Amino acid sequence: MEQGNCGRIKIFQKNVHVTLSDQSQGMVKDARNYVGEGKGQISYQMIDCRQIPKEDHSFDKVIANHVLFYLDDRTTSNLTKIKRVLKQNGTFICSTYGSSHMQEITKLIKDFDERITLSDHKLYDVFGLENGEEQLKKVFSQVKEIDYEDELLVDQPEPLISYILSCHGNQHEYLNHRYLEFKTL
């Protein structure tokens, strides 16, 4: 597959079919609006990975990006359900992050107000770079970690503030009335 203009996915092989899913109807709708139909090669479904309504051994690949840390049971139950729908030589690809994820943003916030916490839960402690491989090996016979090095340069305050305000912590309590002060840092 190749990403084309406007974020559309182009599928070049005729025998390829992609199912995009999420447990949220809104996310599925957004994906359909953003990606499109792909000449009938892309389908959209609401699927909760804890209950995958698909036949055994029906997928060549299953991809779960930043999902596994939200699951209560990543071994005997949920990962086994993912493995069940993979073909014999299928591949499960998942992504997560480690304990240093967004450390610059955390430092910026803490320097502004030590009381601010961007998340009540450290998701990387649940399933992250430091412990994810061990969890996956309980279900999958071969596990390979591939690190993706990247960086993001943010030269405008609004996108950064929008991200910070979208987090699941207590930041609204301490930033809303000091927004302009924080924006000028």
Side-chain angles (χ1 to χ4, degrees), residues 82-98:
I82 292 169
K83 185 177 180 179
R84 175 189 65 79
V85 298
L86 281 171
K87 291 181 180 177
Q88 183 71 23
N89 292 319
T91 303
F92 175 51
I93 301 167
C94 63
S95 64
T96 189
Y97 48 81

Side-chain angles (χ1 to χ4, degrees), residues 27 46 52 66-67 82 87 93 97 108-109 120 122-123 125 129 139 146 148 174 176:
M27 291 297 285
M46 279 184 50
I52 304 173
H66 289 74
V67 171
I82 292 169
K87 291 181 180 177
I93 301 167
Y97 48 81
L108 176 72
I109 286 292
D120 295 338
K122 293 182 172 123
L123 296 175
D125 283 343
L129 290 177
V139 176
I146 301 171
Y148 179 77
Y174 299 106
N176 282 348

Side-chain angles (χ1 to χ4, degrees), residues 44-78:
Y44 299 86
Q45 294 181 348
M46 279 184 50
I47 297 176
D48 183 333
C49 66
R50 293 171 286 209
Q51 299 293 325
I52 304 173
K54 298 293 181 182
E55 293 182 24
D56 293 358
H57 314 294
S58 55
F59 289 97
D60 294 306
K61 290 182 178 40
V62 172
I63 301 171
N65 289 324
H66 289 74
V67 171
L68 296 182
F69 39 62
Y70 292 118
L71 302 177
D72 294 332
D73 179 4
R74 281 165 305 287
T75 55
T76 57
S77 179
N78 295 313

